[in-house]
Amino acid sequence: MFDLIQEILKGDEKNNLEQFVNLLRQLEKKYLLRNEILNSFHDYCQKQENYDHLYHSSDLSKLVYFTQEIILDTESLCLVVRPQIATQQAYRLLEDFTVEAISIQELLNLRDRLVNRYHPQEGEVLKIDFQPFYDYSPVIRDPKNIGKGVAFLNRYLSSKLFDDSRQWQDALFNFLRLHRYNDAQLLINERIQTQQQLSNCVKRALILLGKYPADTAYKNFCTELQNLGFEPGWGNTAHRVQETLEMLDQLIDSPDHQVLEDFISRIPMIFRILLVSPHGWFGQEGVLGRPDTGGQVVYILDQVKGLEKQIQDNIKLSGLDVLNIEPKVIVLTRLIPNSEDTTCHQRLEKIYDTDNAWILRVPFREYNPQITQNWISRFEIWPYLETFAIDAEQELLEQLQGKPDLIVGNYSDGNLVAFLLARRMNVTQCIIAHALEKSKYLFSNLYWQDLEDKYHFSLQFTADLIAMNGANFIVSSTYQEIVGTQDSVGQYESYQSFTMPDLYHVLSGIELFSPKFNIVPPGVNEDVYFPYSRIEGRNLSDRSRLENLLFTLEDATQVFGKLADPSKRPLFSMARLDRIKNLTGLAECFGKSKELQERCNLILIAGKLKSEDSTDHEEISEIEKLYQIIDQYDLHGKIRWLGVRLSKDDSGEVYRVIGDHQGIFVQPALFEAFGLTILEAMISGLPTFATRFGGPLEIIQDQINGFYINPTDHTEMAEIILKFISKCDQNPNYWNEISQRSQERVYSNYTWKIHTNRLLSLAKIYSFWNYISKEQREELLRYTESLFHLIYKPRAKMLLEKHMHRH
Ligand code: UDP
Ligand code: LCN
């Protein structure tokens, strides 16, 4: 990039750069973001004779394309460029148009100065730098491999087993000796005392197994294996045990990454799992569509079912059913005494369709009962989490009759609690962000002090740094959740360096190239959401009840709007009325397009109809805005707005009823981290039009199994939908083709079976990695803990004091 800028400054384009900078200065803004920079550049180029070259192929256009931010100082200008994914550089362009690279530290100082928070004479601000801790661990080189951590780690580990065999082979042997279930020793007993003996015994066991037919059950040869030093856990049949031991034999003699992954994935080491999601309204009914409870609850409940099933299958396959092992999964959340119409006041709740999975609710301590007896917004719960973790630990140990084998955190609060519990109990820790708040709110870190009262980002971002660095591994739903796209910064990437003026400077917040990142997208509950054409699985009375609710029922308590012509193609969407979900944007796009109104009805399921029923300021303003749009564009007779919260089963059938009508699903969010409704709609067979900002960009392949829309460009959005509709008119099978391909996309890439299989295999490989790389992690964990004690806790205490005085 430095060379590119130099080229510009040396050549003909210097003039253009100078003029462009003058134009930017006229905007009288000190901080410009990418969109504004691109728009201004477009405006500038349009006025030039050589528009085409300047805008599309000049060096200046390249520089502008990579520029994320411009900060205008009185005498200089700073360019923050992102020449490739996960890489950031900053340059200062001086008045005389010379250029110099500036360090991250200088950039953060400059940003502080911009908001009048730079006072070096009063001392330095705290610097947080995690980089030194990652210097010792292996890192991925190519950005396109970010998020494929385990594949990288397996290669690394297998090469270590190969090169440095003595130490690593001993570590593998010692790791295998560790595994027990309650009092029962698994895999290897005391007859095998050294790595060399293991190698010999494996070979002898393989000869022994060769004598048995492949399908001979484990119990028929278990004593002979035991005499050789092998306990249960290798397989349920002679064939399976043989396969597993052959893998081990190969690992000892000529290690290879695929064999390592397959072998470690077979080791029975996960029987009890803890999932953490503290902030509440975590239940099985009547919780969806409340503030903060959406996809995360759906995700976890489905994941639990998948995990239990997968562990049960693994136990069978590894021959452990002889030990009567009963796996257990617990979702830890907070108990809310005033639980309104939910079950959130119950301590234990069995999870439907599972044998032994439970929601365990532990109350927050009663610092101020007026607050802790009730639901608390996720932005306010920080002071209660440490004591929650302490109280929960005891209950968990009782419930699980021991430590969990894996802890999975969810969202910033759950990830922090997972970190605290994993540290206390010494258990492998995984985190799942779902949606990191930092990139959702513009300038959330730079202006954190102004936002602190409402959002407490100083706590949330510190918690995020603690959890993401402390975790053994991180599960993300998409690649761009980690490092964005060519054009946009990723959610984790935004933690790489940032300033929290007057609090700290983050010089290196997370190593994006670390193998701890793994992309494991969620699935969709196939019992609830399935293709509309699978008539035999559908309940006819539900179908007609929901058909009536969607298109004709007149009941002002539930529905607003009566359709003049219910037979038009339904354009359907379902989401909470958050600003970012942008249902109002969809209504506006519909309102602006007469042609869309002629061809379709708009059907929205949006939880509420009346602003009086809400206490959430965003929701209230969205409700008011939706009424205003309906009036402004006179959408009466063309729209139905359902103010209902559907049960899970009903929500499945609703998509199918829309499918019966050859309808389409639109997801118009301004940003969507992943978007479970997109999977639900697609598996139901609805052609789906989803935002290009966020996860949908990876779920859908544009024009193959769905369509991208830009929710900020209403004209283009309407055109894309209308183009699809006219194609359907020309070719009556077109709707079916897209419908079919949407279903296939989900079945082949987004199932809970794929997800849980992967998650368990990751948990095992990272446990192994954790076991052999402990010493290096301890330093990192100590540093992380000091952030918790020195930054997080005092701020949490301040917030608690505020709560104590609240009535
Ligand atoms: N949902 C629902 N009823 C509603 C609104 C949403 O059942 O009234 C469900 C929806 O089916 C999906 C989840 O809530 O499973 C929303 O998840 P998504 O990932 O789309 O968005 P989030 O709300 O997590 O941002
Ligand atoms: C949170 C979100 O905002 C959604 O985009 C995800 O689909 C959901 O969590 C589940 O991960």
Side-chain angles (χ1 to χ4, degrees), residues 4 7 10 20 38 60 103 133 159 211 223 229 246 264 277 315 350 371 443 479 503 552 643 654 667:
L4 180 73
E7 273 310 300
K10 271 193 266 156
F20 180 49
L38 287 175
L60 184 56
S103 66
F133 302 103
S159 74
K211 291 193 294 204
T223 323
E246 270 165 3
I264 302 274
S277 174
I315 287 176
K350 177 89 182 286
I371 291 186
F443 299 126
Y479 176 79
L503 185 63
T552 38
V654 154
Q667 213 285 15

Side-chain angles (χ1 to χ4, degrees), residues 74-134:
T74 26
E75 342 43 269
S76 66
L77 167 150
C78 169
L79 298 166
V80 182
V81 290
R82 187 172 173 262
Q84 65 168 358
I85 280 175
T87 304
Q88 180 184 280
Q89 297 163 354
Y91 297 98
R92 182 181 287 126
L93 199 59
L94 298 158
E95 251 181 335
D96 60 357
F97 279 82
T98 51
V99 65
E100 61 188 25
I102 62 171
S103 66
I104 294 296
Q105 181 59 73
E106 283 175 279
L107 175 64
L108 301 184
N109 289 344
L110 180 64
R111 286 184 177 142
D112 283 0
R113 203 156 56 220
L114 190 79
V115 291
N116 295 326
R117 304 276 183 190
Y118 181 61
H119 0 259
Q121 64 292 354
E122 285 165 34
E124 294 266 323
V125 69
L126 171 71
K127 292 173 184 60
I128 296 178
D129 186 358
F130 280 98
Q131 192 52 51
F133 302 103
Y134 288 96

